[in-house]
Short mmCIF file of all heavy atoms in Angstrom, two decimals:
data_model
loop_
_atom_site.label_atom_id
_atom_site.label_comp_id
_atom_site.label_asym_id
_atom_site.label_seq_id
_atom_site.Cartn_x
_atom_site.Cartn_y
_atom_site.Cartn_z
N LEU A 25 -104.79 -92.71 121.39
CA LEU A 25 -106.14 -92.93 121.89
C LEU A 25 -106.52 -91.85 122.90
O LEU A 25 -107.71 -91.54 123.08
CB LEU A 25 -106.28 -94.32 122.50
CG LEU A 25 -105.97 -95.50 121.57
CD1 LEU A 25 -106.19 -96.82 122.29
CD2 LEU A 25 -106.78 -95.43 120.29
N ASN A 26 -105.52 -91.22 123.53
CA ASN A 26 -105.77 -90.11 124.45
C ASN A 26 -106.29 -88.86 123.74
O ASN A 26 -106.79 -87.95 124.39
CB ASN A 26 -104.51 -89.76 125.25
CG ASN A 26 -104.23 -90.77 126.33
OD1 ASN A 26 -105.15 -91.34 126.92
ND2 ASN A 26 -102.96 -91.01 126.60
N GLU A 27 -106.16 -88.81 122.42
CA GLU A 27 -106.63 -87.64 121.69
C GLU A 27 -108.13 -87.43 121.87
O GLU A 27 -108.61 -86.30 121.78
CB GLU A 27 -106.26 -87.73 120.21
CG GLU A 27 -104.77 -87.60 120.01
CD GLU A 27 -104.35 -87.58 118.56
OE1 GLU A 27 -105.20 -87.39 117.67
OE2 GLU A 27 -103.15 -87.76 118.31
N LEU A 28 -108.86 -88.48 122.17
CA LEU A 28 -110.29 -88.35 122.45
C LEU A 28 -110.53 -87.46 123.68
O LEU A 28 -111.61 -86.88 123.82
CB LEU A 28 -110.93 -89.72 122.68
CG LEU A 28 -111.05 -90.60 121.44
CD1 LEU A 28 -111.38 -92.03 121.83
CD2 LEU A 28 -112.11 -90.04 120.50
N LYS A 29 -109.52 -87.32 124.53
CA LYS A 29 -109.65 -86.52 125.76
C LYS A 29 -109.36 -85.04 125.52
O LYS A 29 -109.66 -84.22 126.39
CB LYS A 29 -108.69 -87.04 126.83
CG LYS A 29 -108.99 -88.47 127.25
CD LYS A 29 -107.94 -88.98 128.22
CE LYS A 29 -108.22 -90.44 128.56
NZ LYS A 29 -107.15 -91.02 129.38
N TRP A 30 -108.76 -84.69 124.36
CA TRP A 30 -108.40 -83.28 124.20
C TRP A 30 -108.65 -82.70 122.80
O TRP A 30 -108.68 -81.48 122.65
CB TRP A 30 -106.95 -83.04 124.62
CG TRP A 30 -105.89 -83.70 123.77
CD1 TRP A 30 -105.41 -84.97 123.89
CD2 TRP A 30 -105.16 -83.10 122.70
NE1 TRP A 30 -104.44 -85.21 122.95
CE2 TRP A 30 -104.26 -84.07 122.22
CE3 TRP A 30 -105.17 -81.84 122.10
CZ2 TRP A 30 -103.39 -83.82 121.17
CZ3 TRP A 30 -104.29 -81.58 121.05
CH2 TRP A 30 -103.41 -82.58 120.60
N ARG A 31 -108.83 -83.51 121.80
CA ARG A 31 -109.06 -82.99 120.44
C ARG A 31 -110.54 -83.04 120.10
O ARG A 31 -111.15 -84.10 120.14
CB ARG A 31 -108.28 -83.79 119.41
CG ARG A 31 -106.83 -83.41 119.35
CD ARG A 31 -106.11 -84.09 118.20
NE ARG A 31 -106.72 -83.77 116.92
CZ ARG A 31 -106.80 -84.63 115.92
NH1 ARG A 31 -106.34 -85.86 116.03
NH2 ARG A 31 -107.36 -84.27 114.78
N ASN A 32 -111.09 -81.91 119.75
CA ASN A 32 -112.48 -81.85 119.27
C ASN A 32 -112.52 -82.40 117.85
O ASN A 32 -111.56 -82.28 117.11
CB ASN A 32 -112.98 -80.41 119.28
CG ASN A 32 -113.03 -79.83 120.66
OD1 ASN A 32 -113.38 -80.51 121.62
ND2 ASN A 32 -112.66 -78.57 120.79
N GLY A 33 -113.64 -82.95 117.50
CA GLY A 33 -113.83 -83.38 116.12
C GLY A 33 -113.44 -84.81 115.83
O GLY A 33 -113.61 -85.27 114.71
N ILE A 34 -112.94 -85.54 116.81
CA ILE A 34 -112.62 -86.95 116.58
C ILE A 34 -113.85 -87.78 116.91
O ILE A 34 -114.37 -87.72 118.02
CB ILE A 34 -111.43 -87.43 117.45
CG1 ILE A 34 -110.17 -86.68 117.09
CG2 ILE A 34 -111.23 -88.93 117.28
CD1 ILE A 34 -108.97 -87.08 117.91
N GLN A 35 -114.32 -88.50 115.92
CA GLN A 35 -115.46 -89.38 116.15
C GLN A 35 -115.00 -90.75 116.66
O GLN A 35 -115.66 -91.35 117.51
CB GLN A 35 -116.27 -89.55 114.87
CG GLN A 35 -116.93 -88.27 114.42
CD GLN A 35 -117.73 -88.45 113.14
OE1 GLN A 35 -117.82 -89.54 112.57
NE2 GLN A 35 -118.31 -87.37 112.67
N SER A 36 -113.88 -91.24 116.11
CA SER A 36 -113.33 -92.51 116.57
C SER A 36 -111.86 -92.58 116.22
O SER A 36 -111.40 -91.93 115.28
CB SER A 36 -114.07 -93.70 115.93
OG SER A 36 -113.83 -93.72 114.53
N ILE A 37 -111.13 -93.36 117.00
CA ILE A 37 -109.71 -93.59 116.74
C ILE A 37 -109.35 -94.97 117.30
O ILE A 37 -109.85 -95.36 118.35
CB ILE A 37 -108.83 -92.48 117.35
CG1 ILE A 37 -107.37 -92.63 116.93
CG2 ILE A 37 -108.98 -92.41 118.85
CD1 ILE A 37 -106.50 -91.43 117.26
N ALA A 38 -108.52 -95.70 116.55
CA ALA A 38 -108.13 -97.04 116.98
C ALA A 38 -106.77 -97.40 116.37
O ALA A 38 -106.44 -96.95 115.26
CB ALA A 38 -109.16 -98.07 116.54
N LEU A 39 -106.00 -98.19 117.10
CA LEU A 39 -104.75 -98.71 116.57
C LEU A 39 -105.09 -99.73 115.51
O LEU A 39 -105.80 -100.71 115.77
CB LEU A 39 -103.92 -99.35 117.69
CG LEU A 39 -102.61 -100.00 117.27
CD1 LEU A 39 -101.63 -98.97 116.70
CD2 LEU A 39 -101.98 -100.72 118.46
N GLU A 40 -104.63 -99.50 114.30
CA GLU A 40 -104.92 -100.39 113.17
C GLU A 40 -103.84 -101.46 113.01
O GLU A 40 -104.14 -102.62 112.76
CB GLU A 40 -105.04 -99.55 111.89
CG GLU A 40 -105.61 -100.26 110.71
CD GLU A 40 -107.09 -100.57 110.86
OE1 GLU A 40 -107.80 -99.87 111.60
OE2 GLU A 40 -107.52 -101.54 110.24
N SER A 41 -102.58 -101.05 113.15
CA SER A 41 -101.48 -102.01 113.03
C SER A 41 -100.24 -101.45 113.71
O SER A 41 -100.12 -100.25 113.95
CB SER A 41 -101.18 -102.33 111.56
OG SER A 41 -100.67 -101.20 110.89
N GLY A 42 -99.31 -102.34 114.02
CA GLY A 42 -98.07 -101.96 114.67
C GLY A 42 -98.20 -101.95 116.18
O GLY A 42 -99.21 -102.37 116.74
#
Side-chain angles (χ1 to χ4, degrees):
L25 301 182
N26 285 327
E27 291 185 15
L28 289 167
K29 298 175 183 174
W30 66 275
R31 282 187 58 216
N32 297 322
I34 297 179
Q35 294 180 1
S36 66
I37 187 168
L39 177 63
E40 192 70 26
S41 67

